Amino acid sequence: MSSPSSVHWLSLVGSIWLQTINGPNADFPVYSSQLKEIKGISQVRLNFLAFASDAGKLFGWFAGVAALHLPLWVVALTGATFGLVGYGVQFLFLDRAGLAYWHLFVLTSLAGNGICWINTVCYLLCIRNFPSHSRVAVSLATSYLGLSAKFYTTMAETIPRAARARYSTTEVYLLLNAVVPMVVTLVAAPSLRVVDLKDKQEDHRKRTTEAPFLAMFVITLATGACAIVGSIGAKSIGLSSREHTVSFYVMLALPLLIPVWLRVRESTAKIRETMWENRVHDHDSDGPETTAVSASVSVVEIEAEDKQEQQAGPALEQSSSSQEEVGGLRLLRQLDFWLYFFSYMFSGSLGLVFLNNLGQIADSRGLADASTLVSLSSSFGFFGRLLPAFLDYYTAKSGYSLSRTASMAWLMAPMPGAFLLLLHPKDMFLYASTAVVGTCTGAITSVAASTTNELFGTKNFGVNHNVVVANIPLGSLCFGYLAAFVYQRGAHGGNRCLGADCYRDSFLLWGATCALGTALCTVLYARSRRSTGTGRLPR
């Protein structure tokens, strides 16, 4: 049977793969314009379809409750099944008149709810299997969610021309959204389990986390660089589209080498230990002395590693010990919860609304293909999600605790300026602002999971975080509807608006709202700092 160390890292690899495919709604901007034409719907009704995917998160707390009573692999498969049904039925009956608008809404909501189930599994695996490094593990895994749009657009481009000629762009993406999550979940299912360490000292002796985390960081950075190269233009550096696709898939598979390497190392160590015990047994005269020396060395090693863990342990473990566990209705009576809820809605959720509207924004500005813009936002969102992992890892090693609420506040700060830059009609500002908003939104959504843990404790995390992310559908409904209303007004009775003015008022409103969200999060940081404190970790 695999040792605890390799199984822990295998669960992280499974979480990474699940996060990579768990953003099928991120490719909606690529085919939204065509979907609007196929079904003959207005921009407002199209926006409600984007909201429908987020509306599924209103019932995401069911996933948290299910995770308390069911194996995590069952929870993940349930989420994948919801996506298979939600997108699969749309694919099969898209051209049929019998597939009404309300059918699309319900099916999209079902698929959106499935995303919550898979996310819950990934969060719980990272928190429970890496209790001393949960912040880093969560940030690493969720960073790959930023690559979902890039993953699906790359996969759509590799489909043979004959198949693409047979199906519309909308049908291609609906098929991928339905099938890919189920296939990947089935592959990853054996690794989706929490492993309890029976012998803490034995685990300390065998397990070293620094080298695997450093290797994971290197692989993750290389994967992000590969994604950005493909988004900006692989051909400009002499790399064909096919070569880029193959390299991208190889980079996504590389994390699997870490648990394999650990398994080989553990097996080798076990063989050496067995050989040493045989040698001791064969030399009875030297047995007691050898055993005593061996035991002394083991105790010294264990004590040294325990001391290192205490010095370099992350802030989450330190803060969670003194953090009051909050759950149920008590959560809704907390002022900190509402400050957190609305600051998240006025920043991260608003960024997601912008990304959902990228297809229509690109179309209004005359860009022929929105997939490049979507891939760009996905790639920079990936690095944004990865940024908290770097900060957590290196601040923990230096012995400092970095407040999650403070991190969220300074991550929100650049977003108002990015929305104001979008007022300029040049495409250069559109690409630059998309990169900034994608980075900040990705980082905020990555930090949010650990922020919920920091503010309200670990015990009820699965339910608490799904209650917090209910702000996403609320923000999608409010801000998305206003943007669609302004867009439709600019279309003058038609279904298409052209020019930079189509979203001008929306960008102004979004910029002001992000500024308010930053102020609310600053207040939350001030309150949480008084209650928990930050700074140097105890030695």
Side-chain angles (χ1 to χ4, degrees), residues 57-80:
K57 296 180 175 64
L58 290 172
F59 303 98
W61 58 272
F62 278 111
V65 174
L68 296 174
H69 305 285
L70 298 174
L72 293 183
W73 65 269
V74 175
V75 178
L77 282 175
T78 302

mmCIF file of all heavy atoms in Angstrom, residues 57-80:
data_model
loop_
_atom_site.group_PDB
_atom_site.id
_atom_site.type_symbol
_atom_site.label_atom_id
_atom_site.label_comp_id
_atom_site.label_asym_id
_atom_site.label_seq_id
_atom_site.Cartn_x
_atom_site.Cartn_y
_atom_site.Cartn_z
ATOM 1 N N LYS A 57 -24.790 28.068 -7.625
ATOM 2 C CA LYS A 57 -24.011 28.184 -6.389
ATOM 3 C C LYS A 57 -24.894 28.529 -5.186
ATOM 4 O O LYS A 57 -24.451 28.391 -4.041
ATOM 5 C CB LYS A 57 -22.922 29.242 -6.564
ATOM 6 C CG LYS A 57 -21.876 28.888 -7.624
ATOM 7 C CD LYS A 57 -20.824 29.954 -7.749
ATOM 8 C CE LYS A 57 -19.725 29.548 -8.717
ATOM 9 N NZ LYS A 57 -20.176 29.390 -10.091
ATOM 10 N N LEU A 58 -26.112 29.003 -5.440
ATOM 11 C CA LEU A 58 -27.021 29.273 -4.321
ATOM 12 C C LEU A 58 -27.321 27.999 -3.530
ATOM 13 O O LEU A 58 -27.646 28.060 -2.344
ATOM 14 C CB LEU A 58 -28.325 29.879 -4.845
ATOM 15 C CG LEU A 58 -28.238 31.315 -5.396
ATOM 16 C CD1 LEU A 58 -29.552 31.702 -6.060
ATOM 17 C CD2 LEU A 58 -27.889 32.300 -4.286
ATOM 18 N N PHE A 59 -27.224 26.872 -4.200
ATOM 19 C CA PHE A 59 -27.482 25.589 -3.537
ATOM 20 C C PHE A 59 -26.188 24.807 -3.340
ATOM 21 O O PHE A 59 -26.218 23.591 -3.121
ATOM 22 C CB PHE A 59 -28.480 24.767 -4.364
ATOM 23 C CG PHE A 59 -29.781 25.481 -4.602
ATOM 24 C CD1 PHE A 59 -30.013 26.162 -5.795
ATOM 25 C CD2 PHE A 59 -30.765 25.486 -3.627
ATOM 26 C CE1 PHE A 59 -31.206 26.832 -6.012
ATOM 27 C CE2 PHE A 59 -31.963 26.155 -3.840
ATOM 28 C CZ PHE A 59 -32.184 26.831 -5.036
ATOM 29 N N GLY A 60 -25.060 25.518 -3.417
ATOM 30 C CA GLY A 60 -23.777 24.843 -3.246
ATOM 31 C C GLY A 60 -23.573 24.287 -1.855
ATOM 32 O O GLY A 60 -22.778 23.358 -1.663
ATOM 33 N N TRP A 61 -24.316 24.824 -0.872
ATOM 34 C CA TRP A 61 -24.143 24.324 0.495
ATOM 35 C C TRP A 61 -24.578 22.868 0.632
ATOM 36 O O TRP A 61 -24.172 22.169 1.561
ATOM 37 C CB TRP A 61 -24.916 25.203 1.484
ATOM 38 C CG TRP A 61 -26.385 25.304 1.220
ATOM 39 C CD1 TRP A 61 -27.005 26.207 0.405
ATOM 40 C CD2 TRP A 61 -27.419 24.472 1.761
ATOM 41 N NE1 TRP A 61 -28.364 25.986 0.411
ATOM 42 C CE2 TRP A 61 -28.651 24.940 1.235
ATOM 43 C CE3 TRP A 61 -27.425 23.405 2.650
ATOM 44 C CZ2 TRP A 61 -29.863 24.348 1.560
ATOM 45 C CZ3 TRP A 61 -28.636 22.814 2.977
ATOM 46 C CH2 TRP A 61 -29.835 23.291 2.440
ATOM 47 N N PHE A 62 -25.405 22.388 -0.327
ATOM 48 C CA PHE A 62 -25.746 20.968 -0.323
ATOM 49 C C PHE A 62 -24.490 20.108 -0.450
ATOM 50 O O PHE A 62 -24.404 19.021 0.136
ATOM 51 C CB PHE A 62 -26.709 20.640 -1.473
ATOM 52 C CG PHE A 62 -28.146 20.955 -1.167
ATOM 53 C CD1 PHE A 62 -28.797 21.989 -1.821
ATOM 54 C CD2 PHE A 62 -28.850 20.213 -0.236
ATOM 55 C CE1 PHE A 62 -30.126 22.283 -1.548
ATOM 56 C CE2 PHE A 62 -30.177 20.497 0.055
ATOM 57 C CZ PHE A 62 -30.823 21.536 -0.600
ATOM 58 N N ALA A 63 -23.524 20.594 -1.244
ATOM 59 C CA ALA A 63 -22.270 19.855 -1.413
ATOM 60 C C ALA A 63 -21.516 19.772 -0.099
ATOM 61 O O ALA A 63 -20.919 18.735 0.226
ATOM 62 C CB ALA A 63 -21.407 20.532 -2.486
ATOM 63 N N GLY A 64 -21.526 20.879 0.672
ATOM 64 C CA GLY A 64 -20.858 20.871 1.970
ATOM 65 C C GLY A 64 -21.488 19.882 2.931
ATOM 66 O O GLY A 64 -20.786 19.169 3.665
ATOM 67 N N VAL A 65 -22.812 19.810 2.922
ATOM 68 C CA VAL A 65 -23.511 18.850 3.787
ATOM 69 C C VAL A 65 -23.226 17.416 3.331
ATOM 70 O O VAL A 65 -22.974 16.517 4.147
ATOM 71 C CB VAL A 65 -25.026 19.127 3.786
ATOM 72 C CG1 VAL A 65 -25.768 18.055 4.570
ATOM 73 C CG2 VAL A 65 -25.323 20.509 4.358
ATOM 74 N N ALA A 66 -23.257 17.198 2.013
ATOM 75 C CA ALA A 66 -23.002 15.854 1.482
ATOM 76 C C ALA A 66 -21.594 15.383 1.826
ATOM 77 O O ALA A 66 -21.383 14.195 2.112
ATOM 78 C CB ALA A 66 -23.200 15.850 -0.037
ATOM 79 N N ALA A 67 -20.627 16.311 1.812
ATOM 80 C CA ALA A 67 -19.240 15.940 2.107
ATOM 81 C C ALA A 67 -19.059 15.495 3.550
ATOM 82 O O ALA A 67 -18.075 14.812 3.875
ATOM 83 C CB ALA A 67 -18.311 17.120 1.803
ATOM 84 N N LEU A 68 -19.990 15.860 4.423
ATOM 85 C CA LEU A 68 -19.918 15.418 5.815
ATOM 86 C C LEU A 68 -20.340 13.962 5.982
ATOM 87 O O LEU A 68 -19.990 13.323 6.980
ATOM 88 C CB LEU A 68 -20.813 16.301 6.699
ATOM 89 C CG LEU A 68 -20.433 17.779 6.812
ATOM 90 C CD1 LEU A 68 -21.492 18.536 7.598
ATOM 91 C CD2 LEU A 68 -19.064 17.946 7.456
ATOM 92 N N HIS A 69 -21.076 13.433 4.999
ATOM 93 C CA HIS A 69 -21.666 12.105 5.159
ATOM 94 C C HIS A 69 -21.264 11.121 4.063
ATOM 95 O O HIS A 69 -21.471 9.913 4.224
ATOM 96 C CB HIS A 69 -23.193 12.212 5.186
ATOM 97 C CG HIS A 69 -23.722 13.148 6.232
ATOM 98 N ND1 HIS A 69 -23.760 12.833 7.575
ATOM 99 C CD2 HIS A 69 -24.209 14.419 6.146
ATOM 100 C CE1 HIS A 69 -24.259 13.844 8.265
ATOM 101 N NE2 HIS A 69 -24.542 14.825 7.425
ATOM 102 N N LEU A 70 -20.712 11.597 2.946
ATOM 103 C CA LEU A 70 -20.381 10.724 1.821
ATOM 104 C C LEU A 70 -18.884 10.749 1.546
ATOM 105 O O LEU A 70 -18.206 11.737 1.850
ATOM 106 C CB LEU A 70 -21.136 11.162 0.558
ATOM 107 C CG LEU A 70 -22.667 11.113 0.594
ATOM 108 C CD1 LEU A 70 -23.234 11.726 -0.686
ATOM 109 C CD2 LEU A 70 -23.157 9.676 0.757
ATOM 110 N N PRO A 71 -18.348 9.675 0.944
ATOM 111 C CA PRO A 71 -16.945 9.705 0.508
ATOM 112 C C PRO A 71 -16.741 10.834 -0.507
ATOM 113 O O PRO A 71 -17.636 11.140 -1.309
ATOM 114 C CB PRO A 71 -16.746 8.332 -0.143
ATOM 115 C CG PRO A 71 -17.817 7.465 0.449
ATOM 116 C CD PRO A 71 -18.982 8.365 0.698
ATOM 117 N N LEU A 72 -15.573 11.442 -0.491
ATOM 118 C CA LEU A 72 -15.330 12.599 -1.352
ATOM 119 C C LEU A 72 -15.400 12.245 -2.832
ATOM 120 O O LEU A 72 -15.807 13.075 -3.649
ATOM 121 C CB LEU A 72 -13.976 13.225 -1.015
ATOM 122 C CG LEU A 72 -13.877 13.873 0.371
ATOM 123 C CD1 LEU A 72 -12.522 14.531 0.566
ATOM 124 C CD2 LEU A 72 -14.989 14.909 0.558
ATOM 125 N N TRP A 73 -15.015 11.023 -3.193
ATOM 126 C CA TRP A 73 -15.082 10.663 -4.610
ATOM 127 C C TRP A 73 -16.541 10.578 -5.088
ATOM 128 O O TRP A 73 -16.824 10.873 -6.263
ATOM 129 C CB TRP A 73 -14.348 9.351 -4.873
ATOM 130 C CG TRP A 73 -14.936 8.139 -4.218
ATOM 131 C CD1 TRP A 73 -14.627 7.624 -3.000
ATOM 132 C CD2 TRP A 73 -15.948 7.263 -4.774
ATOM 133 N NE1 TRP A 73 -15.377 6.500 -2.727
ATOM 134 C CE2 TRP A 73 -16.184 6.249 -3.810
ATOM 135 C CE3 TRP A 73 -16.650 7.236 -5.965
ATOM 136 C CZ2 TRP A 73 -17.111 5.236 -4.014
ATOM 137 C CZ3 TRP A 73 -17.576 6.232 -6.178
ATOM 138 C CH2 TRP A 73 -17.798 5.241 -5.212
ATOM 139 N N VAL A 74 -17.446 10.207 -4.189
ATOM 140 C CA VAL A 74 -18.869 10.187 -4.546
ATOM 141 C C VAL A 74 -19.381 11.613 -4.749
ATOM 142 O O VAL A 74 -20.149 11.886 -5.682
ATOM 143 C CB VAL A 74 -19.689 9.478 -3.449
ATOM 144 C CG1 VAL A 74 -21.189 9.571 -3.752
ATOM 145 C CG2 VAL A 74 -19.269 8.024 -3.323
ATOM 146 N N VAL A 75 -18.942 12.533 -3.898
ATOM 147 C CA VAL A 75 -19.331 13.939 -4.034
ATOM 148 C C VAL A 75 -18.836 14.497 -5.363
ATOM 149 O O VAL A 75 -19.574 15.190 -6.080
ATOM 150 C CB VAL A 75 -18.767 14.762 -2.857
ATOM 151 C CG1 VAL A 75 -19.125 16.239 -3.021
ATOM 152 C CG2 VAL A 75 -19.317 14.242 -1.526
ATOM 153 N N ALA A 76 -17.589 14.182 -5.723
ATOM 154 C CA ALA A 76 -17.031 14.672 -6.993
ATOM 155 C C ALA A 76 -17.782 14.105 -8.190
ATOM 156 O O ALA A 76 -18.095 14.828 -9.155
ATOM 157 C CB ALA A 76 -15.546 14.325 -7.078
ATOM 158 N N LEU A 77 -18.087 12.814 -8.151
ATOM 159 C CA LEU A 77 -18.821 12.197 -9.260
ATOM 160 C C LEU A 77 -20.234 12.762 -9.377
ATOM 161 O O LEU A 77 -20.780 12.875 -10.488
ATOM 162 C CB LEU A 77 -18.872 10.684 -9.080
ATOM 163 C CG LEU A 77 -17.592 9.913 -9.444
ATOM 164 C CD1 LEU A 77 -17.749 8.443 -9.104
ATOM 165 C CD2 LEU A 77 -17.272 10.082 -10.931
ATOM 166 N N THR A 78 -20.829 13.113 -8.259
ATOM 167 C CA THR A 78 -22.149 13.742 -8.299
ATOM 168 C C THR A 78 -22.084 15.072 -9.039
ATOM 169 O O THR A 78 -22.935 15.369 -9.892
ATOM 170 C CB THR A 78 -22.683 13.964 -6.873
ATOM 171 O OG1 THR A 78 -22.741 12.712 -6.184
ATOM 172 C CG2 THR A 78 -24.072 14.588 -6.905
ATOM 173 N N GLY A 79 -21.073 15.881 -8.731
ATOM 174 C CA GLY A 79 -20.911 17.153 -9.433
ATOM 175 C C GLY A 79 -20.669 16.963 -10.914
ATOM 176 O O GLY A 79 -21.228 17.691 -11.749
ATOM 177 N N ALA A 80 -19.842 15.983 -11.282
ATOM 178 C CA ALA A 80 -19.577 15.714 -12.697
ATOM 179 C C ALA A 80 -20.841 15.242 -13.416
ATOM 180 O O ALA A 80 -21.067 15.567 -14.590
ATOM 181 C CB ALA A 80 -18.468 14.675 -12.829
#
